[in-house]
DNA sequence: CTCTTGTATCGATCGCCATCAATCTACACG
DNA sequence: CGTGTAGATTGATGGCGATCGATACAAGAG
């Protein structure tokens, strides 16, 4: 479960799906599983709202305390959702002092769109 | 649970999210839930493979019997996955004779990408 | 060092979902 | 009509995930 490993390694040059022969479908089992991870992260309403809030923030980043209230969720739950978004390669976590600031990784949303069109 | 109702009504002109005031986050609860439905449909490896196979088909459509084998799943399970994809507004189902043919709804993938960039 | 505050982790619970076996429906063919 | 086949539906089951309360960890304030 290596963080920062989902979107980054999605389309390496050695991707065997570029010219799939036959027998196996266009998408291999492992590829499908890896790509599904990103959509799993997006498949929760509260996580979509988290991304929306973080993205709409003026500074481009938000700390957990700013995210707990508008979602009407407990702090552990919000922290859990943020972790999932980080592991999916969508959010970046930076701890400054007591607070943890989350921001959208540049290009992450474009990468997700690329997955969709690359099906 | 009205089929054909997920992606089609995603961006009507009256979408209240275009100029959200404040207080509530950028994404309302209902909006987030509706948009999450599409990603839920994409959040399963086997469903991603289904989309991939249907999309790669020469005729642009496939029947269930062509999809059961490459996925190594039972026929009821494949039928279930296809239903979810249809209800998400991603696949179109057309029954001709004994067979049911599934094809990707034109513009559906573009609509999903629009959701991502419109967060 | 102690206290407080922000955040992460743990453990448990509950509901949803993926899957299968069995059954049902619809259609084609004699 | 009966038979066979493609597909959908149902019911049951096992596992994963969303949520919470409690707790642990980290860092600044005093």
């Amino acid at each position: 479960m290596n963080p920062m490993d989902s979107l980054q390694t999605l389309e390496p040059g050695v991707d065997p799906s570029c010219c799939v022969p036959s027998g196996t479908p266009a998408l291999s089992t492992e590829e499908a599983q890896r790509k599904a991870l990103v959509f799993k992260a997006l498949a929760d309403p509260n996580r979509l709202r988290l991304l929306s809030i973080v993205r709409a923030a003026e500074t481009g980043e938000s700390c957990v305390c700013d995210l707990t209230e508008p979602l009407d969720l407990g702090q552990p739950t919000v922290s859990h959702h943020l972790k999932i978004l980080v592991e999916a390669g969508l959010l970046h976590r930076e701890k400054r002092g007591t607070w943890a600031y989350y921001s959208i990784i540049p290009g992450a949303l474009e990468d997700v769109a690329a997955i969709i069109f690359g099906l």
Side-chain angles (χ1 to χ4, degrees), chain A:
Chain A
M1 189 72 60
N2 201 346
M4 304 283 99
D5 200 21
S6 302
L7 284 177
Q8 279 63 22
T9 63
L10 273 176
E11 313 292 350
V14 245
D15 193 342
S17 81
C18 59
C19 41
V20 68
S22 65
T24 38
L27 220 53
S28 75
T29 307
E30 300 77 22
E31 258 184 322
Q33 235 162 358
R34 192 161 39 83
K35 296 185 176 178
L37 275 185
V38 186
F39 293 114
K40 272 187 209 291
L42 293 171
D44 183 276
N46 287 319
R47 285 198 286 269
L48 286 183
R49 299 178 80 187
L50 281 175
L51 286 177
S52 173
I53 297 175
V54 171
R55 198 174 197 219
E58 300 176 3
T59 61
E61 59 183 14
S62 311
C63 63
V64 181
C65 56
D66 291 334
L67 300 169
T68 306
E69 181 193 346
L71 286 206
D72 199 31
L73 287 180
Q75 173 266 322
T77 305
V78 173
S79 211
H80 170 246
H81 284 313
L82 289 170
K83 181 177 185 175
I84 291 180
L85 289 170
V86 168
E87 285 175 348
L90 296 169
L91 282 188
H92 169 73
R93 176 182 183 272
E94 184 186 358
K95 186 156 189 180
R96 292 202 301 270
T98 312
W99 294 272
Y101 293 90
Y102 289 86
S103 57
I104 293 192
I105 293 182
L109 300 183
E110 286 78 1
D111 288 347
V112 178
I115 296 179
I116 295 175
F117 293 124
L119 279 183

